[in-house]
Amino acid sequence: MIPWWQRPPAFARYNLRRNPFGELTSEERGALAVIDLPPITEAAPLQIVADAGHGKTTHLLGLRARERHSTYEYVPEGQRSVKTALPVRGLFLLDEAQRLTARELRRVLAMQPLLALGTHEDLSARSPRPLVTLRLEALSLAKLRSVVEAKIAAAADGPPPIVTDDRLEALRSEHGANLRAIEHTLYDWVQHGEL
Amino acid sequence: MASCEVRIELERDAIEAGGAVAGNVVCSAPELVTTKGVKLTVGWRTHGRGNRDLAVQHELVLYSGNLSGEQRLPFKLVLPKGPLSFHGELVNVEWFCKASVDLAWAIDPKAERTFVIQKPEQTSGYVYGDRHQRLGPESASPDTRSIGCLLLFLLPFIATGIGMFIVGQPLVGAMFTFIPSLMLFFIVKGRIAARKVGEVEMILSNDAPRPGEEVKVTVRMIPAQSFDITDITAVLTGEEKAVSGSGTRKTTHRRTIHEQKVSLAQGPRKANVGEPIEVSGAVRIPDDAPPSFFSHDNDVTWSVHLRVDIPAWPDWTDVAMLGVLP
């Protein structure tokens, strides 16, 4: 007899190879990112301002996947300076930029022509250059649908399941623009056959 | 541009642990193409709530040179004894074969097949993971250095709180003294409990049991003080554990897959200073228990949690990690 832990998993009933809303590798996150960004020019670096879980890192990883000559660095808690050599000719993607010291942030902004920052707080006042700001505060139904469908398509092994507008609206009203929380709920729906 | 398609055919997609995965990598090229290599990778990966873990077991070049028409490249690779395939709610362990054709100036065609590694007919003495040192009883109390560091960290807060009381800010003072004191209590409560219970030894009859087997849990202690015991319990817990994110985004997800509580002491009893106490009982590994699995961010664990319940005093606790065999 097949033990419960080797029977076909819950996601298989939806023609999925895995739960689409589980953790992805950073490469997969970048490849599946649904992003709509203003062009990044040398005239004005881009800052993506949002609370945790709203998609800053996903946007930066999406840029990394699309821009061949780009370098990504995540600034962990306690780190105050950039560890990567600045890719002066390419695009530099700096996540959690608010953790840098004011001096280090000024240095990066002064030396790196093409730059995108992910930050919890607006860094305009600390920047010697004008910044283009993208705030991830709202999440449209169309954008949520794109995110959900991209993830499902990447995990599909047959006709994929469809999440209705009503269910997506319910997620938006419960979690707002917090995509991480939405995906957490969707993970449970898949596991419990409630999609 | 010359094109090529690749697919994998497996003889069987459910294989006994320690057996061999066999099949063919089939390359189809309508026109002549030159490949630097047809590569085959066999390994396992996790997916689910936790960060992905991956281990490559075999990586080899099956063929290099010209491809034309349909070419079948056979392979047969011996697999290790584990980890066994596993599908839980948080953790999945999945075996895969991946083939890719390295073409110059073209996107490399790729194919992938997954297969299941099943429990062997003969029970194997094997636990996947590199945390064997965690097997056996371990103290639940923090070491002296950790407590010292914590005290140094918390004392300024407590001192500030007392200062706030003095300057007439009782609410702020209460917050600054109460919260650190509570933190300190939870961390040193094991030591407080140990002051009464004295030396406690948890002995397991077998720390690498098979499904369906019983594990006898024996507790021996020589009380340092006299006290009442409400109960001594052993709880067998099977758990999936998945860690997602890292740094400040790190979250640990847990799901209990099995729990069995056994009372080792028959009702309330008195523990007298210096008089040895020995109690025992047995927990049973369920017949369908998944084997223990330890990887970087995804675990399936089995453990015995021991609790000496002392009225109006912190309970003494300890945990012993088991390595359940397939």
Side-chain angles (χ1 to χ4, degrees), chain A residues 111-138:
Chain A
M111 294 185 68
Q112 178 59 36
L114 286 172
L115 181 63
L117 308 169
T119 172
H120 288 289
E121 54 195 67
D122 189 341
L123 300 173
S124 302
R126 292 162 61 184
S127 173
R129 293 162 67 189
L131 299 177
V132 173
T133 301
L134 173 71
R135 288 181 190 278
L136 303 175
E137 288 170 333

Side-chain angles (χ1 to χ4, degrees), chain A residues 4-7 9 11 17-18 22-25 28 57 74 77 95-96 99 180 184 187-188 191-192, chain B residues 47-52 84-90 92 94 117-118 244 248-249 253 288-291:
Chain A
W4 62 266
W5 44 275
Q6 288 204 323
R7 289 187 199 135
F11 46 79
R17 290 190 304 275
R18 56 175 168 77
E23 278 298 305
L24 300 175
T25 62
E28 287 171 327
T57 302
Y74 170 79
E77 184 85 0
D95 203 355
E96 302 286 0
R99 289 179 178 158
R180 194 181 298 163
H184 202 273
Y187 183 96
D188 287 338
Q191 287 303 128
H192 302 146
Chain B
H47 57 83
R49 273 267 196 250
N51 300 327
R52 301 283 191 88
L84 303 191
S85 302
F86 175 82
H87 293 298
E89 190 159 323
L90 308 177
N92 294 271
E94 182 178 67
I117 291 203
Q118 294 174 324
S244 64
T248 50
R249 299 170 186 164
H253 311 271
D288 61 351

Side-chain angles (χ1 to χ4, degrees), chain B:
Chain B
M1 191 181 293
S3 68
C4 175
E5 284 182 359
V6 63
R7 69 177 195 277
I8 299 171
E9 291 173 350
L10 292 180
E11 281 179 13
R12 283 175 298 142
D13 51 16
I15 301 158
E16 201 173 276
V21 58
N24 291 288
V25 173
V26 184
C27 301
S28 309
E31 295 169 32
L32 183 73
V33 291
T34 302
T35 169
K36 285 191 259 178
V38 178
K39 197 168 87 176
L40 180 70
T41 308
V42 176
W44 62 264
R45 65 189 164 215
T46 63
H47 57 83
R49 273 267 196 250
N51 300 327
R52 301 283 191 88
D53 291 322
L54 171 85
V56 171
Q57 203 63 44
H58 296 284
E59 196 168 30
L60 63 158
V61 175
L62 292 177
Y63 177 81
S64 59
N66 295 333
L67 285 170
S68 179
E70 186 173 279
Q71 198 150 342
R72 304 173 78 80
L73 308 168
F75 64 89
K76 186 171 184 177
L77 299 164
V78 176
L79 297 168
K81 290 179 182 173
L84 303 191
S85 302
F86 175 82
H87 293 298
E89 190 159 323
L90 308 177
V91 176
N92 294 271
V93 181
E94 182 178 67
W95 280 85
F96 64 88
C97 283
K98 210 186 277 187
S100 64
V101 183
D102 189 352
L103 296 178
W105 305 106
I107 295 170
D108 296 344
K110 292 183 177 79
E112 186 180 289
R113 284 285 300 269
T114 56
F115 59 93
V116 175
I117 291 203
Q118 294 174 324
K119 186 176 170 170
E121 283 295 320
Q122 298 283 316
T123 309
S124 82
Y126 176 87
V127 171
Y128 184 81
D130 55 1
R131 299 190 193 175
H132 287 210
Q133 73 276 11
R134 281 168 57 180
L135 302 183
E138 55 186 29
S139 172
S141 306
D143 60 40
T144 314
R145 189 183 294 178
S146 310
I147 294 171
C149 290
L150 189 79
L151 261 173
L152 273 175
F153 175 73
L154 293 176
L155 276 176
F157 289 94
I158 296 170
T160 308
I162 294 166
M164 287 294 171
F165 274 116
I166 293 166
V167 298
Q169 297 277 346
L171 202 66
V172 183
M175 272 177 60
F176 269 82
T177 47
F178 179 71
I179 296 170
S181 302
L182 201 66
M183 283 170 68
L184 205 57
F185 170 76
F186 275 105
I187 287 160
V188 301
K189 68 176 184 173
R191 284 180 163 261
I192 298 171
R195 284 178 57 193
K196 268 197 198 294
V197 297
E199 288 288 312
V200 183
E201 199 183 359
M202 171 165 49
I203 303 150
L204 303 179
S205 61
N206 179 6
D207 63 11
R210 298 176 169 87
E213 283 186 352
E214 282 198 342
V215 176
K216 187 179 174 192
V217 183
T218 304
V219 178
R220 288 183 192 141
M221 64 177 156
I222 303 171
Q225 296 174 25
S226 295
F227 60 95
D228 292 321
I229 298 172
T230 308
D231 202 356
I232 300 175
T233 55
V235 180
L236 170 69
T237 306
E239 195 176 60
E240 282 181 76
K241 192 183 99 180
V243 176
S244 64
S246 61
T248 50
R249 299 170 186 164
K250 186 170 169 175
T251 309
T252 303
H253 311 271
R254 293 173 188 276
R255 177 185 165 248
T256 301
I257 53 180
H258 180 83
E259 198 168 76
Q260 182 201 359
K261 187 175 179 179
V262 174
S263 178
L264 306 182
Q266 300 298 316
R269 61 187 291 173
K270 184 87 181 163
N272 296 314
V273 59
E275 282 182 19
I277 292 176
E278 182 171 319
V279 291
S280 62
V283 292
R284 187 175 179 277
I285 309 299
D287 294 332
D288 61 351
S292 300
F293 167 75
F294 302 102
S295 68
H296 192 264
D297 285 324
N298 298 273
D299 295 343
V300 179
T301 64
W302 289 92
S303 53
V304 177
H305 296 248
L306 180 69
R307 179 176 292 274
V308 180
D309 186 348
I310 308 163
W313 195 260
D315 294 344
W316 189 91
T317 59
D318 199 353
V319 181
M321 197 63 79
L322 301 174
V324 170
L325 304 176

Side-chain angles (χ1 to χ4, degrees), chain A residues 42-56:
Chain A
E42 292 188 11
L46 171 70
Q47 65 165 346
I48 304 168
V49 185
D51 290 333
H54 284 55
K56 289 183 304 297

